[in-house]
Amino acid sequence: MTLADIPDLDRLIEQSIAEDLGNGDHSALACIPESAIGKAHLLVKDDGVLAGVELAERIFKKVDKRFELDILIRDGSPVKKGDIAFYVEGPSQKLLTAERLVLNFMQRLSAIATQTSLYVKLLEGTNTKILDTRKTTPGLRYLEKWAVTVGGGYNHRIGLFDMIMLKDNHIDFAGGIAASIKKTKQYLAQTGLDLKIEVETRNLEEVEQVLCVGGIQRIMLDNFNYADTRTAVKLIAGRYETESSGGITMETIRQYAECGVDFISVGALTHSVKSMDLSLKAI
């Protein structure tokens, strides 16, 4: 995913500016001449992976087309405390107007990219890929999932529309695994939709039920222990993709990968990150 793939990004930026600006940036208007031109730099105050530089440029240009950026560090690059990511020059009033919005986005997106990169490094040497989840901030899902890719992870599904995910509640409401898969196939045939089907399983018995029905693309092993994960991978034997999920941490993720699963999904990539410390300082 790239920023160009994000729908309505300009509208999101405009809404975010309007939310902050209201009827005017009176702090800047009160004490900064309209004609004043200022320069600032983006100072990195934490180690990690940077994300949001390209977005910052879009925000500055949306606030005022006269802004010019000298970008020193691009999205996806490792950074350390004391690095300067970019210089920005333009109308001083407008620079102050854009400051907090740029930092809010960059601090969160960089935190997600950093968190993802830490998980990815833990799996080096395995064939397992890190996936995100739908546990994202409402309104910011596309950007947060973009930040996951900046950190070296992969997107699971964007929303409810681009993949079939038969979770425990779907299965229980539908009358069981066989019934849920059968009804899903009928639905796809009737609608003409070409969507992959993933089925969540809670134990080895449910894995066997999915294998009996077949015709899906991925089996999720939800909250399985290591032994059952290894057994499930052997049962599936490469016929379908496998995904481990549920309570997997930095301490346990390597062991799950070594069980042979294709994917591991981690909600903590987006729902439990501490913002990277960044500041925009006048120079």
Side-chain angles (χ1 to χ4, degrees), residues 197-223:
I197 304 172
E198 178 170 6
V199 183
E200 178 183 278
T201 59
R202 293 165 282 193
N203 50 56
L204 291 171
E205 181 183 346
E206 290 191 343
V207 171
E208 291 175 339
Q209 290 177 37
V210 175
L211 294 175
C212 285
V213 180
I216 52 89
Q217 283 71 47
R218 187 182 302 173
I219 298 176
M220 176 187 283
L221 312 173
D222 188 46
N223 286 297

Side-chain angles (χ1 to χ4, degrees), residues 71-91:
I71 297 172
L72 306 181
I73 304 176
R74 294 284 177 179
D75 291 323
S77 300
V79 291
K80 60 184 185 300
K81 183 177 181 180
D83 284 345
I84 294 173
F86 61 76
Y87 293 93
V88 57
E89 185 171 5

Side-chain angles (χ1 to χ4, degrees), residues 49-103:
V49 175
L50 197 64
V53 174
E54 184 182 345
L55 177 64
E57 185 170 26
R58 289 186 180 219
I59 293 170
F60 279 118
K61 293 288 189 181
K62 185 68 70 173
V63 170
D64 196 299
K65 291 185 178 7
R66 291 173 290 176
F67 278 116
E68 295 294 335
L69 273 72
D70 179 13
I71 297 172
L72 306 181
I73 304 176
R74 294 284 177 179
D75 291 323
S77 300
V79 291
K80 60 184 185 300
K81 183 177 181 180
D83 284 345
I84 294 173
F86 61 76
Y87 293 93
V88 57
E89 185 171 5
S92 298
Q93 283 185 355
K94 299 297 181 65
L95 200 157
L96 294 169
T97 298
E99 174 189 6
R100 177 45 53 192
L101 181 57
V102 165
L103 289 174

Side-chain angles (χ1 to χ4, degrees), residues 26-240:
H26 300 299
S27 302
L29 292 170
C31 62
I32 307 296
E34 185 177 358
S35 60
I37 298 297
K39 189 173 183 179
H41 63 222
L42 194 290
L43 178 64
V44 178
K45 300 166 78 173
D46 276 333
D47 295 349
V49 175
L50 197 64
V53 174
E54 184 182 345
L55 177 64
E57 185 170 26
R58 289 186 180 219
I59 293 170
F60 279 118
K61 293 288 189 181
K62 185 68 70 173
V63 170
D64 196 299
K65 291 185 178 7
R66 291 173 290 176
F67 278 116
E68 295 294 335
L69 273 72
D70 179 13
I71 297 172
L72 306 181
I73 304 176
R74 294 284 177 179
D75 291 323
S77 300
V79 291
K80 60 184 185 300
K81 183 177 181 180
D83 284 345
I84 294 173
F86 61 76
Y87 293 93
V88 57
E89 185 171 5
S92 298
Q93 283 185 355
K94 299 297 181 65
L95 200 157
L96 294 169
T97 298
E99 174 189 6
R100 177 45 53 192
L101 181 57
V102 165
L103 289 174
N104 283 348
F105 274 122
M106 286 198 65
Q107 287 177 319
R108 178 154 184 81
L109 297 177
S110 295
I112 292 170
T114 298
Q115 178 94 316
T116 303
S117 71
L118 293 175
Y119 276 93
V120 169
K121 287 175 183 176
L122 291 172
L123 298 190
E124 287 180 351
T126 75
N127 294 318
T128 306
K129 296 178 179 178
I130 291 290
L131 297 178
D132 56 21
T133 70
R134 286 170 49 242
K135 296 175 182 176
T136 55
T137 307
L140 298 182
R141 176 171 296 171
Y142 280 93
L143 280 174
E144 292 182 349
K145 282 180 168 284
W146 167 77
V148 167
T149 66
V150 170
Y154 294 81
N155 298 141
H156 186 276
R157 54 178 179 156
I158 299 301
L160 297 171
F161 56 89
D162 57 343
M163 184 178 181
I164 298 285
M165 167 81 88
L166 300 178
K167 295 178 69 67
D168 53 357
N169 282 335
H170 298 93
I171 291 165
D172 291 342
F173 285 145
I177 284 176
S180 65
I181 295 174
K182 180 180 178 181
K183 291 175 181 177
T184 297
K185 290 178 180 178
Q186 290 173 344
Y187 172 79
L188 293 177
Q190 291 166 359
T191 58
L193 294 171
D194 182 18
L195 298 175
K196 290 185 176 181
I197 304 172
E198 178 170 6
V199 183
E200 178 183 278
T201 59
R202 293 165 282 193
N203 50 56
L204 291 171
E205 181 183 346
E206 290 191 343
V207 171
E208 291 175 339
Q209 290 177 37
V210 175
L211 294 175
C212 285
V213 180
I216 52 89
Q217 283 71 47
R218 187 182 302 173
I219 298 176
M220 176 187 283
L221 312 173
D222 188 46
N223 286 297
F224 277 47
N225 59 35
Y226 303 134
D228 285 349
T229 300
R230 286 190 290 269
T231 301
V233 170
K234 288 180 182 178
L235 284 171
I236 296 165
R239 285 174 283 176
Y240 307 112

